[in-house]
Each structure stands twice: as C-alpha cells, then as structure tokens.
Amino acid sequence: MNSTEKQKIAVLGGGVSAMTSLCYLTESPNWQEKFDITVYQLGWRIGGKGASGRNAEYGQRVEEHGLHIWFGAYVNSFKTIEKVYDDLARPKEMPLATWQEAFKPQNFVVLQEYIDKQWKTWPNEFPYIPGNPANSTLDLTVWEFLKAAYFYLKDFIRELKAMKGHVSSTLDNHVQQGVANTAWYQKLAEHVEMDAHAIQDKFSQDILLSLEFIEKILPENHQVMVSNAEKHESIIQYLLKVLRAWLKHEFEDLLNTHDEVRRLFICADLGLTIFIGLLQDKVHSRGFAYLNQWDYREWLTLQGANVEFTVNSAVVRGFYDLAFAYPEGDFNNPNIEAGVSVLAMLRMAVCYRGGFMWEMQAGMGDTLFSPIYQLLKRRGVKFEFFHQVDELIPKNDSIDEIRITQQVALADESHEYDPLVMVKDLPCWPSQPKYSEIDAEQAKLLKKHNINLESFWTDWPEIYQQHFNKPLPKKSLKKGIDFDLVIFGISVGSIPHLCPQLLAQDSKLKRMVDKIGTVATQAYQLWIDKTESEMGWTYLPENGQKPVLSGFVEPFDTWAAMDQLLCREDWPTGINPKNASYFCNAYPQAEYPPKTEHDFPKKCKEKVKQNAINQLKNDIFNLWPDVAQPGEFNWDILTDPKNQIGEKRFDSQYWRCNVDPSERYVLSVKGSSAYRLKTDETIFDNLYLTGDWLSTGVNAGCVEAATMAGMQTSRAICGNPAKIDGETGFLPKG
C-alpha cells in the first residue's frame, strides 16, 4: 500500500471496547488523513451487552440487558466519557448536556445476610471522598493500598472495641503465641524508638497499639513508606495476625446474636486476612497475578479467614454476585480468581472519588452510546447497521476476508440509516428497528413474525428465503480493497462461531477462548405505582439515595431502585409509576443448541418470567413486606397501561435472558487470566481484538475493563493514548 493512502479499518461490533477505541483513534493527530473507518453492526443499535432501548408502546421506558452501574474507581471510563461529553459540547439547555448531569454519585449500598434462616438487611453508606473519578488513579502499590485501607480497618476495630467495652486478660497469650524470643519486639522497638519490654507490656494493655505501630511504619512519604514496609514486612504481618487473633478471641461468641458486632467483625477480619495474605504470598514482589491460581473464597480460607462468618459473608457473596461468578449459572459452585477479586475490591474501596458508585440518569444507551455515536459520526466514522458478521477468513498470518450478511434493505438506499429517536429531547436508541426506514415489504415481514435481528437463533434467513425465494444478500470484504486492519469488537463467546479458521491456526487464541468462560444472565424490570417506603422498605438514608442491593436470594440476588430514570421516560397522561426496580443475576445454562433451534431464546425467556414471578410470590416479602407475604404478591401495584387483572399484570413488565454468544457475561475463573491476550497478540498481523475479555489490568467483565481494552487497541494502532491507568495492576510494583 502506498504510504500516502489511508488505511481502511473494519470495526466489527459496536460495544464499549470498540467504541472506546474509535474515540481515541479519532482524536489522534491527522487521523482522517491516515484512516478510513467503518463500523459493521448487527441489528439497529450499538452497545453490545450495554445496549438499551426505548419501548414506545410502554411510555418510552428504558429497557436494559440488566443492571448497569459504574463504580467510582472506573478511572479510565470516566476519563473517556468526560472527553466524549466535552468534545460533543451539547447545548446547555439539552437534557444531560454534561457528564456530571448524566452520572450521579451513589454511596448507599445494601447487603442481605441469611442468618438463622431469615434474611437480615445490612445497609451501608460509603464515606464521601471528594474529587472527580477521572482524576483518581488505579496505579497503587500493595503498600499504598495498605496505607489507604488502614483507616477503614482502624475504624472497624475501634468500633468493635467500644462495643465490647473491655480487652481480654488473655491478650498477652496471643502476643506471645508462636514467638520464641523478643527479636521481633526488638526490631519494632528500634523503629519506634521504644524499649522492647515496654512494647510487650503495652500490647498486654491495649491491642489498638498494634494499629498505631503499623501507622508509624507507613508514613505519608511514599518512598519512605515502601522502604519501611519492605524492611519491616514480617513485623507488619505479625501485628496483623495479633489483631486477628484478638478479634477471634473477643468476638467469636457474639457473632450469632449481635448484628452490628458480626458486621464489624466481618469487615475487620476480611481486611486483616487480605493484608496478611498479600504479605504472606509476597504480592508486592510477585504481583496480584500470583493469587489467580486460587478461587477468592479458597484463598481467604487458606489465609485463615473465619469460614462461617467471613468467607461465606454477604460481603464476599455480594462480590461473586457482582461479577456473575457462577460458571454455567451454577450457584452452588462460584468461581472467580483471587487476584482479580482482591485487586478489584481494594480499588473499589480506596480509589473511588465523588461517589462509591455512579448511576446513569437515563439508559446506558442514552447516556453512553448515543453521545459516542453522535461524536464519532461528526468526526467522520461510517456506520453500516444491519450487517451480521458470519466469518473471518485468514490467509497466511493475516485476515484476508470478512464474510457478512446484510440483514435488511433500507427504504432509501441513498440515505444512511438514522438509528436514534428523540425522547423528551434526548437522543435514544429504540427497542425495535425504525421500520419506516426499512424496505416496506421486509419491514412488514419482520413485524409479522416478530423477528429479533440481534438474536443468534433468529429464523429471519429462513423466513426471508421462503418469502422472497432467495437468500439474504451476502457481502465479502477483501483485504486491500475494503479493509486493511480489523478491530474485532464482538465478545469472546462469538469467536468459535465466527473464527473457526483463526482458532485452527492460532493456538494462543484457541487457548484463551477455551479457558475464558462466559455465563448467561437473566434480568427483569418492574414499574410500580408505589414508592419504596410504601412497599415497606424502611432503609432510606437522609440524602434520599435509593438502595443498590446484593446478596439476596437466588436466582435474582441483586436489586436496584432506578427511580431516577422515570423522569426520562414519557408515559401517557394518567400513568405515573413511582418506582422502577431492576433485578438480575446469572442464568443456569450449561449447553447451548445450534442456531437452527430457533425457539431456544423463547424457552429461556419463559423460564426467566417464571423465575421472576416466583421471586415476587415467595421471596420479595423480605424486602417489601407491605405488598407481599409468603406465597402472595399484590399484583395491582404494577404499572400496566392495559390494566390487566392479577398476575397477568406482570405481562406488561420487562424481562430477558441473555444467552446469545455475544451477550453472555465474561467470567474470571481461577487460572484463566494467564491465557488472556492483549489486543495485538494473535498471530494475525492486521487483527486487533478488543473487549473486556482481554488482558487489561482488570481482567473482569465490566465497563472499566472494556474501556481499557479499547484504549489498548487504539494505542496499538496509532499510539494514543500514551498511558492507560492501572493496566499493570497484576504486575509487581514494589
């Protein structure tokens, strides 16, 4: 290719990673002189697993794949979305004109404990940490994490000590246990300039002195802190073990009967165990990746955490729920890498700014993908909607051909498809294609058969063939003519279907696909004519924030009140829901049939519906006692424009089962991170993978990992961005 010619980039799929890569590619210097970019998108909307739609039949309500909430430690995601909104520069009078209007902090998080065969609610308000999450950092050493989390630990133990009201007279036995001489006392004495025997005496008087000594070893100056910490690593580890032994001795007999003591104990025991384990396994020199040989619970148990109350606590269980960490949807066999989990929990706890979580103020499609789409269109990126990728064909060590099916013909082929609709002056993605822009005969056929153009199992090709007596039109994109580079932005679950020849040639790619698991997920959404308090929910903080809850009964262990979305919907006069409640979790499914089994998604969706109804009948009374009792639910509270009677009112709600290969959630089962590749690590010289399934420094299914993968892809192609915060998170950092 002549050096003056543009490189043509074919982008396959429009999820977070692919769109992020284009955001950074198209802000690199003179990009339009270097690249010609076309996105080939299945169906009518971008967004991948994060796509949302507006249902015009039901008040332009927001319909999501599941629950999407950002964490305040998503540094790269906030950097990216801040740049998108700033560059798009929407008019000030427009709804959600800035990212600060589109995202609001959320610090109220609730866990459900199952104690003595009853559910108990554990409300938590995370402390406000000022700042812009885009200006935080994920690049902390083990010692910096210890320093930052130390203050949480100190508060937990002080509260516990105040509750107990005394210190055990047998404390000295814990201090002496396992110590043959006073060598460690002498080392500590030299550091804090105190006599060794005086230290031993003080430990016998007050356990909290161990915390004070740790604080002295971890001063504010980073270089001094690392030097001191490494020098006195054995002392820190011993002091932490002394604290944990004291916790067990003082409070173990209270854990079944005192909720507040149990919860403080869990937090303290978990924090102490994590830091004991980090030191024991020398993570500062080996890196967090070393821990990925164990499952998170397995590692906590090995490090001596209380199994009954800590390892099986709502805190730990809630993290598995957050990551859908149930291979094949088997809730009895959770599995997630310890290194991924510990690093994520530390980052979530100490790196957030502005809010522990951030909630979008409209659908994810409306707040993330609409502005990205509009910005990229303005910059000159082309979008080909209704283009289904069928297969990538290699030649030697390069992608030579991309085979595509054109799903529909447009009503006016001379004009591009316009995917967005306006809802209360906000550009949004509809939950169905804009049929008015599709060839009239094809549109009629799509509606008649209720065709889902996004489904892997769709029977649209057969229906089209039967009606028009010819197959859907095919396209063959050729290297050197239609593309030079390929950005593969379709999720890892689709690779076996779209890239069998690539897997046959590239053993590293095949190992990654084999080792990284995915899990189907299920979700349902309710629109309710009562507020949370009217339903009997009593845990509402003074700041007015609504609950984000996890650790509840399966199969829907997560609930969030998403009332902030109601003002963005457009319900008919007289219909005014007061609450929007979202539920989600993994979906049990071990095997997936061939794409010719067209009714498979329908069967799965029906199971989700029954799961949801069963939860409302049999379990929701634990959260909403004023509208439900065991075996009963007040169906009249559901918003239903059709005003159906009884359980039929559920038919007007929304539920879905995410079983498509590209929709399934990416797992982090133990040992899998070692097989993750970076964007350009296949043998194919013009192929760039991108997605939350790459090696990113997060290695878990989330917006932050997807964003980092997109940044990685852009950097590999054009050098921008120069830095990705947190990408070396699993490597040793002193």
Side-chain angles (χ1 to χ4, degrees):
M1 184 178 67
N2 190 297
S3 60
T4 61
E5 293 181 3
K6 294 182 180 181
Q7 283 191 303
K8 295 181 178 179
I9 301 178
V11 183
L12 310 181
V16 172
S17 294
M19 294 300 97
T20 297
S21 71
L22 299 189
C23 288
Y24 285 93
L25 263 171
T26 57
E27 68 173 20
S28 62
N30 304 315
W31 80 269
Q32 287 181 311
E33 299 174 10
K34 301 175 184 176
F35 305 115
D36 182 351
I37 303 173
T38 303
V39 177
Y40 296 91
Q41 175 60 49
L42 175 74
W44 66 96
R45 57 183 167 181
I46 64 172
K49 293 186 285 291
S52 66
R54 295 303 195 101
N55 191 324
E57 183 181 357
Y58 289 95
Q60 293 290 4
R61 69 187 185 188
V62 176
E63 296 177 344
E64 299 269 8
H65 277 71
L67 176 62
H68 298 289
I69 296 179
W70 290 27
F71 281 90
Y74 285 0
V75 174
N76 295 289
S77 303
F78 278 102
K79 285 180 180 176
T80 302
I81 201 62
E82 182 178 47
K83 289 167 66 69
V84 167
Y85 274 82
D86 287 350
D87 291 351
L88 189 59
R90 284 173 164 174
K92 292 181 179 179
E93 64 275 11
M94 183 178 175
L96 311 185
T98 65
W99 79 266
Q100 293 93 335
E101 294 173 350
F103 292 80
K104 296 294 183 183
Q106 165 73 22
N107 290 309
F108 183 47
V109 180
V110 181
L111 296 170
Q112 289 297 111
E113 297 182 292
Y114 195 62
I115 306 293
D116 291 333
K117 297 183 179 180
Q118 63 176 320
W119 288 101
K120 294 191 175 185
T121 299
W122 180 356
N124 300 273
E125 276 195 80
F126 281 81
Y128 172 70
I129 299 178
N132 180 342
N135 297 331
S136 184
T137 181
L138 303 177
D139 284 318
L140 300 182
T141 66
V142 168
W143 309 115
E144 288 172 308
F145 277 127
L146 177 57
K147 179 72 175 180
Y150 161 83
F151 296 101
Y152 282 102
L153 189 59
K154 193 172 184 178
D155 286 343
F156 293 145
I157 292 177
R158 276 183 170 166
E159 287 188 51
L160 274 168
K161 187 171 181 289
M163 284 184 180
K164 185 70 174 179
H166 71 277
V167 177
S168 170
S169 61
T170 59
L171 172 61
D172 191 55
N173 292 333
H174 298 307
V175 175
Q176 293 287 0
Q177 187 177 6
V179 180
N181 53 56
T182 60
W184 79 274
Y185 284 123
Q186 189 61 49
K187 289 181 181 179
L188 183 56
E190 291 171 359
H191 182 79
V192 298
E193 298 179 354
M194 186 181 294
D195 181 77
H197 294 291
I199 290 177
Q200 185 173 3
D201 183 60
K202 285 180 177 291
F203 263 68
S204 299
Q205 299 171 34
D206 193 343
I207 190 66
L208 287 177
L209 281 175
S210 63
L211 282 171
E212 294 180 11
F213 290 138
I214 292 173
E215 191 169 4
K216 289 178 181 293
I217 294 171
L218 299 173
E220 291 297 326
N221 182 280
H222 172 60
Q223 295 301 324
V224 175
M225 178 183 70
V226 172
S227 176
N228 283 350
E230 291 179 344
K231 181 179 178 181
H232 300 292
E233 177 186 334
S234 61
I235 295 174
I236 298 173
Q237 188 175 344
Y238 189 86
L239 293 174
L240 293 171
K241 286 183 176 180
V242 167
L243 276 169
R244 191 170 65 179
W246 172 78
L247 274 176
K248 179 179 179 181
H249 181 271
E250 291 294 301
F251 300 101
E252 202 165 40
D253 60 335
L254 302 175
L255 302 183
N256 273 313
T257 56
H258 292 75
D259 290 348
E260 290 304 312
V261 170
R262 179 180 62 254
R263 292 163 185 174
L264 286 168
F265 173 90
I266 289 168
C267 293
D269 187 47
L270 181 61
L272 287 167
T273 299
I274 285 174
F275 285 115
I276 289 168
L278 293 179
L279 296 172
Q280 183 76 34
D281 287 332
K282 299 187 182 301
V283 171
H284 58 282
S285 59
R286 290 169 166 166
F288 281 91
Y290 177 76
L291 305 184
N292 286 332
Q293 61 186 293
W294 295 288
D295 167 67
Y296 182 38
R297 278 179 168 146
E298 179 186 13
W299 181 77
L300 288 174
T301 303
L302 288 171
Q303 297 302 331
N306 183 296
V307 174
E308 180 181 0
F309 292 102
T310 302
V311 176
N312 293 310
S313 67
V315 177
V316 173
R317 185 159 47 87
F319 189 81
Y320 281 81
D321 295 345
L322 173 69
F324 298 94
Y326 304 99
E328 299 183 349
D330 184 352
F331 300 114
N332 294 317
N333 290 291
N335 188 324
I336 187 170
E337 292 175 309
V340 166
S341 305
V342 172
L343 181 57
M345 291 187 80
L346 289 172
R347 284 171 165 175
M348 288 160 56
V350 306
C351 299
Y352 74 88
R353 297 294 181 270
F356 178 70
M357 292 178 171
W358 290 71
E359 290 186 330
M360 288 169 279
Q361 301 303 295
M364 190 163 178
D366 314 332
T367 54
L368 180 63
F369 292 106
S370 289
I372 287 178
Y373 171 75
Q374 291 181 312
L375 180 64
L376 294 178
K377 282 288 291 181
R378 179 190 298 176
R379 289 178 176 176
V381 174
K382 297 186 287 291
F383 287 81
E384 294 284 356
F385 292 97
F386 305 109
H387 279 64
Q388 175 183 304
V389 176
D390 296 323
E391 189 175 358
L392 276 65
I393 308 298
K395 183 177 181 181
N396 300 322
D397 291 337
S398 195
I399 305 303
D400 186 62
E401 180 185 2
I402 304 169
R403 294 175 180 171
I404 289 176
T405 296
Q406 184 176 336
Q407 295 177 291
V408 301
L410 299 181
D412 185 351
E413 294 288 358
S414 65
H415 288 82
E416 293 182 6
Y417 179 77
D418 178 11
L420 301 177
V421 295
M422 298 300 290
V423 180
K424 289 188 171 180
D425 299 321
L426 187 69
C428 305
W429 301 85
S431 60
Q432 297 290 337
K434 294 169 73 172
Y435 293 113
S436 61
E437 296 195 31
I438 296 174
D439 172 81
E441 191 172 359
Q442 293 185 31
K444 182 179 179 180
L445 201 59
L446 289 167
K447 288 187 283 186
K448 176 183 177 181
H449 293 277
N450 194 26
I451 297 297
N452 180 3
L453 292 172
E454 295 176 328
S455 174
F456 176 78
W457 284 274
T458 181
D459 57 354
W460 175 237
E462 289 85 349
I463 290 172
Y464 182 95
Q465 171 81 48
Q466 184 178 10
H467 183 85
F468 292 103
N469 199 30
K470 61 180 180 180
L472 284 166
K474 304 285 186 178
K475 290 184 177 181
S476 175
L477 307 182
K478 295 292 294 181
K479 178 185 174 183
I481 300 173
D482 304 296
F483 69 89
D484 300 295
L485 308 178
V486 179
I487 296 177
F488 187 89
I490 306 172
S491 193
V492 65
S494 295
I495 292 180
H497 304 286
L498 306 184
C499 308
Q501 295 186 51
L502 275 62
L503 295 177
Q505 286 188 214
D506 190 337
S507 59
K508 290 191 300 181
L509 179 61
K510 186 177 188 308
R511 280 197 300 271
M512 178 174 70
V513 172
D514 289 343
K515 295 293 184 179
I516 295 179
T518 62
V519 64
T521 62
Q522 55 185 322
Y524 73 97
Q525 299 172 209
L526 303 178
W527 287 262
I528 301 172
D529 294 336
K530 290 182 178 291
T531 64
E532 291 85 8
S533 59
E534 289 172 338
M535 292 189 290
W537 177 259
T538 58
Y539 302 92
L540 293 170
E542 293 182 0
N543 62 14
Q545 290 189 357
K546 302 300 176 70
V548 175
L549 179 147
S550 191
F552 192 40
V553 64
E554 309 299 356
F556 295 102
D557 51 36
T558 301
W559 162 54
M562 304 294 284
D563 303 356
Q564 78 277 7
L565 305 181
L566 295 174
C567 68
R568 301 297 168 200
E569 299 175 344
D570 194 12
W571 292 91
T573 302
I575 298 177
N576 298 294
K578 297 179 181 179
N579 169 264
S581 282
Y582 287 27
F583 297 82
C584 67
N585 196 17
Y587 176 79
Q589 186 68 39
E591 301 292 336
Y592 296 89
K595 62 191 311 180
T596 52
E597 194 167 320
H598 302 305
D599 62 347
F600 175 67
K602 182 179 179 180
K603 291 178 180 177
C604 293
K605 188 176 180 181
E606 182 59 32
K607 288 181 183 178
V608 173
K609 179 182 180 182
Q610 290 307 312
N611 289 342
I613 289 173
N614 289 340
Q615 183 180 56
L616 293 175
K617 282 182 175 180
N618 301 315
D619 298 301
I620 208 67
F621 71 90
N622 293 287
L623 305 181
W624 304 340
D626 290 352
V627 296
Q629 296 298 321
E632 299 178 8
F633 180 75
N634 180 7
W635 302 103
D636 291 343
I637 70 170
L638 299 182
T639 302
D640 182 8
K642 298 178 181 178
N643 201 25
Q644 300 169 96
I645 304 299
E647 190 176 306
K648 287 289 291 181
R649 294 180 76 87
F650 185 85
D651 293 346
S652 64
Q653 310 306 298
Y654 181 69
W655 62 97
R656 64 179 295 137
C657 193
N658 301 308
V659 290
D660 272 40
S662 61
E663 291 180 334
R664 299 198 288 265
Y665 196 87
V666 177
L667 296 173
S668 304
V669 296
K670 71 176 184 178
S672 63
S673 276
Y675 299 95
R676 289 178 177 243
L677 302 178
K678 293 188 180 297
T679 185
D680 55 354
E681 287 187 339
T682 71
I683 66 171
F684 305 104
D685 57 16
N686 64 341
L687 176 64
Y688 296 88
L689 307 174
T690 199
D692 59 6
W693 39 280
L694 296 187
S695 176
T696 60
V698 173
N699 291 6
C702 63
V703 168
E704 182 71 352
T707 299
M708 292 168 74
M711 296 168 75
Q712 189 184 112
T713 299
S714 175
R715 185 178 60 189
I717 295 173
C718 72
N720 183 48
K723 175 178 171 53
I724 304 172
D725 198 274
E727 69 174 328
T728 60
F730 292 101
L731 303 178
K733 288 196 284 187

